[in-house]
Amino acid sequence: MTLADDIADLTVPVPPKKYQKHAEFDESGGTAATGPVRTMVTDYAELLRLAGLDPEAFRIVGKVSQWTKTHHDREDTYSFLFTFEAITAAEDSIDLSALYAEGRRKPRARVKAVTTARTTVAVIADPQIGKTGSRGGTPELLERLAEKRVKLEAELKRRKPESIFIPDINDLFEGFESGGNPMFSNDLSLSQQMDVAATEVYKFVELCARYAPVKVAVVPSNHTAWRRGPQNLGAPGDDLGIFVHRQVEKVANAAKLDATWEYPEHYNESMVVDVRGTKVGMCHGNQFRDGQAAAWWGKQTHGGQPVGAADILLTGHYHHLSILPTGRNPYTGRSKWHLAAPTLDNGSDWFRNIAGDDSDPGMLVFDITEDGFDLQSLTVL
């Protein structure tokens, strides 16, 4: 038996007037009641049909009111009262004129600029001191590094950071055991390369320490590793670039600079540094092929390695800028970022001749706030 049959068959008490079957409406909608029915009805389309309305033309809006009469010898009697509105064909279309008009409205209150405490990150990557190439040799490199410091100082004056982080992705100098044959293309001996590297690192630290407390971190790399050709002769911590930093740290301490250093564990090639609660991971980049950083990072996470906890992964090695969101921190909900820094070196002409690729030198700079990586602050000097 249908609900319509129920209505016809019942002899029921008369419900209050507003619950008696009716429908009052105009072109936009109105109110209606089903009149008495023997069954509890929760389906809106059926309620409309009981009131004599087409569910394809109208829909119920707001709450449905219910009148109930209890009987001791049979099922209760119900009636339902509701408001409805017309469904128009144009309902799902967008009124572009109204939308653009709304977009042109000026905000009621001017948005105030918010000054956020920040740490400025200035990345040193792949200067490869002693290397000669299409961009010159040591004189040209030193001029380039001096230019970067001038630009960095201008950024520090503008940003006014509370602290500064200098991550050195290494390949500080070219070396003579990089796996190729640079013996007749370098313009500095190994000891000279290390001497210049120490001087240039100190200049960056001393500059930054004028504006805020400085934290420095460095990871091993392939050009500065202690090795013979492709064969490593020691642990990752025996890296000569790290050795240079330890000497700079001593000089900075003697000069009473407000600067501290962090180093990876002796047998680790990567490390994580806490910057305002954001975990910044570092590795040189020779641990994976170009374009495979995210896959390598994922495996490090699974294996519980140092950068597994990182929100940002900083790498170098491939001498070109890359900015890639990859994954999401399940605890903070923030996007994870892989930032590959551009090179500071004199050019990799052997690679350009083989692959045809080349990129401009630069220094990656960005800020970290209490909210994490500030993408809008990222720039290349």
Side-chain angles (χ1 to χ4, degrees), residues 118 120-122 147-161 164 207 211 363-367 376-381:
R118 61 188 60 247
T120 294
V121 182
E147 174 204 4
K148 301 309 177 189
R149 283 192 290 272
V150 170
K151 292 182 177 180
L152 177 59
E153 184 169 19
E155 283 295 310
L156 295 177
K157 289 179 179 178
R158 182 181 67 83
R159 297 174 188 237
K160 297 179 175 59
I164 300 168
L207 165 66
Y211 293 92
M363 185 175 196
L364 182 66
V365 176
F366 61 91
D367 291 342
Q376 294 184 3
S377 71
L378 188 146
T379 189
V380 176
L381 305 181

Coordinates of all heavy atoms in Angstrom, one line a residue, residues 118 120-122 147-161 164 207 211 363-367 376-381:
R118 N 61.7 36.4 11.6 CA 62.2 35.5 10.6 C 63.7 35.2 10.7 O 64.4 36.0 11.3 CB 61.9 36.1 9.2 CG 62.6 37.5 8.9 CD 62.1 38.1 7.6 NE 60.7 38.3 7.6 CZ 59.8 37.7 6.9 NH1 60.2 36.8 6.0 NH2 58.5 37.9 6.9
T120 N 66.8 34.5 8.1 CA 67.1 34.5 6.7 C 68.2 33.4 6.4 O 69.1 33.3 7.2 CB 67.7 35.9 6.3 OG1 66.7 36.9 6.4 CG2 68.2 35.9 4.8
V121 N 68.0 32.7 5.4 CA 68.8 31.5 5.0 C 69.6 31.9 3.7 O 69.0 32.3 2.7 CB 68.0 30.3 4.7 CG1 69.0 29.1 4.4 CG2 67.2 29.9 5.9
A122 N 70.9 31.9 3.8 CA 71.8 32.2 2.6 C 72.6 31.0 2.3 O 73.5 30.6 3.1 CB 72.7 33.4 3.0
E147 N 80.5 40.3 -5.1 CA 79.2 40.8 -5.5 C 78.1 40.2 -4.8 O 77.1 40.9 -4.4 CB 79.1 40.6 -7.0 CG 77.8 41.0 -7.6 CD 77.4 40.3 -8.9 OE1 78.2 39.4 -9.3 OE2 76.3 40.6 -9.5
K148 N 78.1 38.9 -4.5 CA 77.0 38.3 -3.8 C 76.9 38.8 -2.4 O 75.8 39.0 -1.8 CB 77.2 36.8 -3.8 CG 77.3 36.1 -5.1 CD 76.1 36.5 -6.0 CE 76.3 35.8 -7.4 NZ 75.3 36.3 -8.4
R149 N 78.1 39.1 -1.8 CA 78.0 39.6 -0.4 C 77.4 41.0 -0.4 O 76.7 41.4 0.6 CB 79.4 39.6 0.2 CG 79.9 38.3 0.7 CD 81.2 38.3 1.5 NE 82.3 38.7 0.7 CZ 83.1 37.9 0.0 NH1 82.9 36.6 0.1 NH2 84.2 38.3 -0.6
V150 N 77.7 41.8 -1.4 CA 77.1 43.2 -1.5 C 75.6 43.0 -1.6 O 74.8 43.7 -0.9 CB 77.6 44.0 -2.7 CG1 76.8 45.2 -2.9 CG2 79.1 44.3 -2.4
K151 N 75.1 42.1 -2.4 CA 73.7 41.9 -2.6 C 73.1 41.3 -1.3 O 71.9 41.7 -1.0 CB 73.4 41.1 -3.8 CG 73.8 41.7 -5.1 CD 73.4 40.8 -6.3 CE 73.7 41.5 -7.6 NZ 73.4 40.6 -8.8
L152 N 73.8 40.4 -0.7 CA 73.3 39.8 0.5 C 73.1 40.8 1.6 O 72.1 40.8 2.3 CB 74.2 38.6 0.9 CG 73.9 37.9 2.3 CD1 72.5 37.3 2.2 CD2 74.9 36.9 2.6
E153 N 74.1 41.7 1.7 CA 74.0 42.7 2.8 C 72.8 43.6 2.5 O 72.0 44.0 3.5 CB 75.2 43.6 2.8 CG 75.2 44.6 3.9 CD 76.5 45.3 4.1 OE1 77.4 45.3 3.2 OE2 76.7 45.9 5.2
A154 N 72.5 44.0 1.3 CA 71.3 44.7 1.0 C 70.0 44.0 1.4 O 69.1 44.6 1.9 CB 71.2 45.1 -0.5
E155 N 70.0 42.7 1.2 CA 68.8 41.9 1.6 C 68.7 41.8 3.1 O 67.6 41.9 3.6 CB 69.0 40.5 1.0 CG 68.7 40.3 -0.5 CD 67.2 40.6 -0.8 OE1 66.3 40.1 -0.1 OE2 67.0 41.5 -1.7
L156 N 69.8 41.7 3.8 CA 69.7 41.7 5.2 C 69.2 43.0 5.8 O 68.4 43.0 6.8 CB 71.1 41.3 5.8 CG 71.6 39.9 5.5 CD1 73.0 39.8 6.0 CD2 70.7 38.8 6.0
K157 N 69.6 44.1 5.2 CA 69.1 45.4 5.7 C 67.6 45.5 5.4 O 66.9 46.1 6.2 CB 69.9 46.5 4.9 CG 71.3 46.7 5.3 CD 72.0 47.8 4.5 CE 73.4 48.0 5.0 NZ 74.1 49.1 4.2
R158 N 67.2 45.0 4.3 CA 65.7 45.1 4.0 C 64.9 44.1 4.8 O 63.8 44.5 5.3 CB 65.5 44.7 2.5 CG 64.1 44.8 2.0 CD 64.0 44.5 0.5 NE 64.3 43.1 0.3 CZ 63.4 42.1 0.4 NH1 62.2 42.4 0.8 NH2 63.7 40.9 0.1
R159 N 65.4 42.9 5.0 CA 64.6 41.8 5.7 C 64.6 42.0 7.2 O 63.7 41.6 7.9 CB 65.1 40.4 5.3 CG 64.9 40.1 3.8 CD 65.6 38.8 3.5 NE 65.6 38.6 2.0 CZ 65.0 37.5 1.4 NH1 64.4 36.6 2.1 NH2 65.1 37.4 0.1
K160 N 65.7 42.5 7.7 CA 65.9 42.7 9.2 C 65.6 41.3 10.0 O 64.7 41.3 10.8 CB 65.0 43.8 9.7 CG 65.3 45.1 9.1 CD 64.4 46.2 9.7 CE 64.8 47.6 9.2 NZ 64.8 47.8 7.8
P161 N 66.3 40.3 9.7 CA 66.1 39.0 10.3 C 66.5 39.0 11.8 O 67.4 39.7 12.2 CB 66.9 38.0 9.5 CG 68.0 38.8 9.0 CD 67.5 40.2 8.7
I164 N 70.3 34.4 11.3 CA 70.7 34.1 10.0 C 71.3 32.7 10.0 O 72.0 32.3 10.9 CB 71.8 35.1 9.5 CG1 71.2 36.5 9.4 CG2 72.2 34.7 8.0 CD1 72.3 37.6 9.2
L207 N 80.2 39.1 7.7 CA 79.2 40.0 7.2 C 77.8 39.8 7.9 O 77.2 40.7 8.4 CB 79.0 39.8 5.7 CG 77.7 40.4 5.0 CD1 77.8 42.0 5.2 CD2 77.6 40.0 3.6
Y211 N 74.6 41.7 11.5 CA 73.2 42.0 11.5 C 72.3 41.1 12.4 O 71.3 41.5 12.8 CB 72.7 41.8 10.0 CG 73.2 42.9 9.1 CD1 74.4 42.7 8.4 CD2 72.6 44.1 9.0 CE1 75.0 43.6 7.6 CE2 73.2 45.1 8.2 CZ 74.3 44.9 7.5 OH 74.9 45.9 6.7
M363 N 73.1 32.9 -5.8 CA 73.1 32.5 -4.4 C 71.7 32.5 -4.0 O 71.0 33.5 -4.1 CB 73.9 33.5 -3.6 CG 74.0 33.1 -2.1 SD 75.1 34.2 -1.2 CE 75.4 33.2 0.3
L364 N 71.2 31.3 -3.5 CA 69.8 31.1 -3.0 C 69.6 31.7 -1.7 O 70.4 31.4 -0.7 CB 69.5 29.7 -3.0 CG 68.0 29.3 -2.6 CD1 67.1 29.8 -3.7 CD2 67.9 27.8 -2.5
V365 N 68.6 32.6 -1.5 CA 68.3 33.2 -0.2 C 66.8 33.1 0.0 O 66.0 33.3 -0.9 CB 68.7 34.7 -0.2 CG1 68.3 35.4 1.1 CG2 70.2 34.8 -0.4
F366 N 66.4 32.8 1.2 CA 65.0 32.7 1.6 C 64.8 32.9 3.1 O 65.8 32.8 3.8 CB 64.3 31.4 1.1 CG 64.9 30.2 1.6 CD1 64.4 29.6 2.8 CD2 65.9 29.5 1.0 CE1 64.9 28.4 3.3 CE2 66.5 28.3 1.5 CZ 66.0 27.8 2.7
D367 N 63.6 33.0 3.5 CA 63.3 33.2 5.0 C 62.5 32.0 5.5 O 61.7 31.4 4.8 CB 62.5 34.5 5.2 CG 63.3 35.7 4.9 OD1 64.6 35.6 4.9 OD2 62.7 36.8 4.8
Q376 N 57.4 33.2 -0.6 CA 57.4 34.5 -1.2 C 58.7 35.2 -1.0 O 59.1 36.2 -1.7 CB 56.3 35.4 -0.7 CG 54.9 34.9 -1.1 CD 53.8 35.8 -0.6 OE1 54.0 36.9 0.0 NE2 52.5 35.4 -0.9
S377 N 59.5 34.8 0.0 CA 60.8 35.5 0.3 C 61.9 34.9 -0.6 O 63.0 35.5 -0.5 CB 61.1 35.2 1.8 OG 61.5 33.8 2.0
L378 N 61.7 33.9 -1.3 CA 62.8 33.2 -2.0 C 63.3 34.1 -3.2 O 62.5 34.6 -3.9 CB 62.3 31.8 -2.5 CG 63.4 30.9 -3.1 CD1 63.1 29.5 -2.8 CD2 63.5 31.1 -4.6
T379 N 64.6 34.2 -3.2 CA 65.2 35.0 -4.3 C 66.6 34.4 -4.6 O 67.1 33.6 -3.8 CB 65.3 36.5 -4.0 OG1 65.8 37.2 -5.1 CG2 66.3 36.7 -2.9
V380 N 67.1 34.7 -5.8 CA 68.5 34.3 -6.2 C 69.3 35.6 -6.4 O 68.9 36.4 -7.2 CB 68.4 33.4 -7.4 CG1 69.9 33.1 -7.8 CG2 67.7 32.1 -7.2
L381 N 70.4 35.7 -5.7 CA 71.2 36.9 -5.8 C 72.2 36.7 -6.9 O 72.7 35.6 -7.2 CB 72.0 37.1 -4.5 CG 71.1 37.3 -3.2 CD1 72.0 37.6 -2.0 CD2 70.1 38.4 -3.4

